[in-house]
């Protein structure tokens, strides 16, 4: 391989000169060219943008993929420029297990039917999570990563060049200062009263030599000053482009929030649908469960329980009507025919809108106030709600019970 010895020696000299200048600046033995306040603010803003972008990027990756091993795997695939294999989400895996369990327990049993319904909802939740992760990766993570791997690397490269140009400029200033000091000293040495003219001739030639050195240093200073100014302008333009980066990241942040909002809205709707489906069959499941449970002992302990347990406020319970057993009262009793207790009913505030699934339920509107109480043998997740002349079952999870 051919080497340019002169270029190699020149580069080594430049490197040594920069190293000397940097060391003397750190030791306080050399002057340093300071950048203007606006330029320093641009540098600080760029560093702040880079640091926070890295932190936001890393934490968003953790949010979308909590498994560190999976993140490392995706990173390796990305660096190898290969497609990341499709991975089953936790919700989809749970749905698969619930479906298999339902087939083993019997899809016709109440437990099996419920497992199938919940499993289907978990599958839909997993699919929604997959779509959210894909959308967030494209619309939010990719622009942040492109900034760090593209624009920021360019800015860092130009800043290093500017630093080298500044070191060269300050080194030239130092050489010029030393040359002028030597020239002044040489000019002061000759003595016109000197009886030996040889000393005067030597001093005069030294003065002329230092004058040439000063001219050479001034020429180098003008060149380095021009290069420094040009590089400072290039770096300034790149740093001012950080404002455009903020605008782009702001747009990406809005898209990320929109994707996350759609994701949680889908999840909320899926769970509402599942809750309605399960609530519609709750009476059947309770009746089935109690029909297979062993009868209570002959000596029932209600008095003992009342004496040993602390008193807690409860929803008033309507007494058994028409001799109907408590365990099946909910499945055969029409809520519209039930009379509320004479005293002790509670007020409740509705938290969310609720659409009645059948004529036995009461439709609700968020923030309205209703009166609630319980029926014997009712599913604990349901209450009887009254609003004026309307009456029906309402889910407890949609209510805030007031004292």
């Amino acid at each position: 391989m051919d080497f340019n010895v002169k270029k190699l020696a020149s580069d080594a000299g430049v490197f040594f000169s920069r190293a000397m200048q940097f060391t003397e600046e750190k030791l306080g033995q050399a002057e340093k060219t300071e950048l203007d306040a606006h330029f320093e603010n641009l540098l600080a803003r760029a560093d702040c943008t880079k640091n926070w972008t890295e932190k936001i990027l890393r934490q968003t990756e953790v949010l979308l993929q909590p498994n560190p091993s999976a993140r490392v795997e995706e990173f390796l695939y990305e660096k190898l420029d290969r497609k990341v294999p499709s991975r089953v989400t936790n919700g989809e895996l749970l749905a698969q297990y619930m479906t298999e369990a339902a087939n083993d327990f019997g899809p016709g049993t109440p437990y099996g039917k419920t497992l199938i319904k919940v499993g289907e909802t978990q599958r839909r939740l997993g699919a929604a999570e997959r779509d959210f992760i894909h959308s967030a990766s494209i619309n939010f993570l990719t622009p942040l990563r492109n900034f760090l791997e593209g624009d920021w690397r360019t800015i860092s490269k130009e800043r290093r060049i500017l630093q080298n140009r500044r070191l060269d400029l300050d080194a030239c200033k130092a050489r010029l200062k030393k040359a002028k000091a030597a020239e002044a000293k040489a000019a002061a040495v000759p003595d016109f009263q000197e009886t030996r003219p040889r000393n005067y001739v030597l001093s005069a030639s030294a003065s002329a030599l230092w004058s040439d050195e000063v001219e050479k240093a001034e020429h180098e200073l003008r060149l380095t000053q021009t290069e420094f100014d040009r590089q400072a302008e290039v770096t300034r333009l790149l740093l001012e482009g950080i404002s455009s980066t903020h605008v782009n990241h702001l747009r990406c942040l809005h898209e990320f929030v929109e994707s996350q909002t759609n994701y949680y809205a889908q999840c909320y709707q899926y769970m509402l649908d599942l809750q309605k489906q399960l609530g519609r069959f709750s009476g059947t499941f309770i009746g089935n469960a109690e029909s297979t449970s062993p009868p209570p002992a002959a000596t029932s302990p209600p008095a003992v329980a009342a004496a040993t347990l602390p008193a807690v406020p409860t929803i008033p319970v309507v007494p058994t009507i028409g001799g109907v057993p408590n365990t099946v009262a909910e499945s055969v009793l029409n809520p519209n025919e039930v009379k509320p207790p004479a005293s002790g009913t509670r007020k409740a505030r509705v938290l969310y809108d609720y659409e009645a699934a059948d004529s036995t339920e009461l439709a609700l509107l968020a923030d309205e106030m209703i009166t609630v109480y319980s029926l014997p043998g009712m599913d604990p997740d349901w209450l009887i709600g009254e609003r004026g002349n309307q009456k029906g079952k309402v889910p407890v999870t949609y209510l805030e019970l007031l004292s």
Side-chain angles (χ1 to χ4, degrees), residues 17 21 24 30-31 33 167-185 209-225:
S17 174
Q21 178 66 26
E24 290 178 355
E31 296 181 358
T33 300
L167 291 173
D168 294 342
L169 176 62
D170 290 338
C172 287
K173 289 180 179 180
R175 283 196 297 271
L176 178 60
K177 184 177 181 181
K178 291 178 181 178
K180 286 184 175 181
E183 180 187 25
K185 182 178 180 180
L209 180 63
W210 281 113
S211 296
D212 294 340
E213 188 67 23
V214 168
E215 292 180 0
K216 182 181 178 181
E218 290 177 344
H219 177 69
E220 290 181 353
L221 178 60
R222 286 192 295 270
L223 292 179
T224 53
Q225 183 70 55

Side-chain angles (χ1 to χ4, degrees), residues 367-384:
D367 294 329
E368 70 173 336
M369 302 294 295
I370 63 174
T371 303
V372 294
Y373 50 89
S374 179
L375 287 175
M378 278 189 68
D379 184 344
D381 293 334
W382 292 81
L383 295 171
I384 297 298

Side-chain angles (χ1 to χ4, degrees), residues 189-204:
V189 168
D191 184 4
F192 294 101
Q193 304 298 325
E194 179 63 50
T195 57
R196 291 178 295 177
R198 182 174 180 275
N199 290 338
Y200 171 75
V201 172
L202 292 176
S203 299

Side-chain angles (χ1 to χ4, degrees), residues 134-143 251-253 255-256 259:
H134 178 72
S135 175
S137 298
I138 294 178
N139 298 328
F140 188 61
L141 292 184
T142 299
R251 177 183 57 81
C252 297
L253 184 61
E255 294 180 355
F256 172 73
S259 298

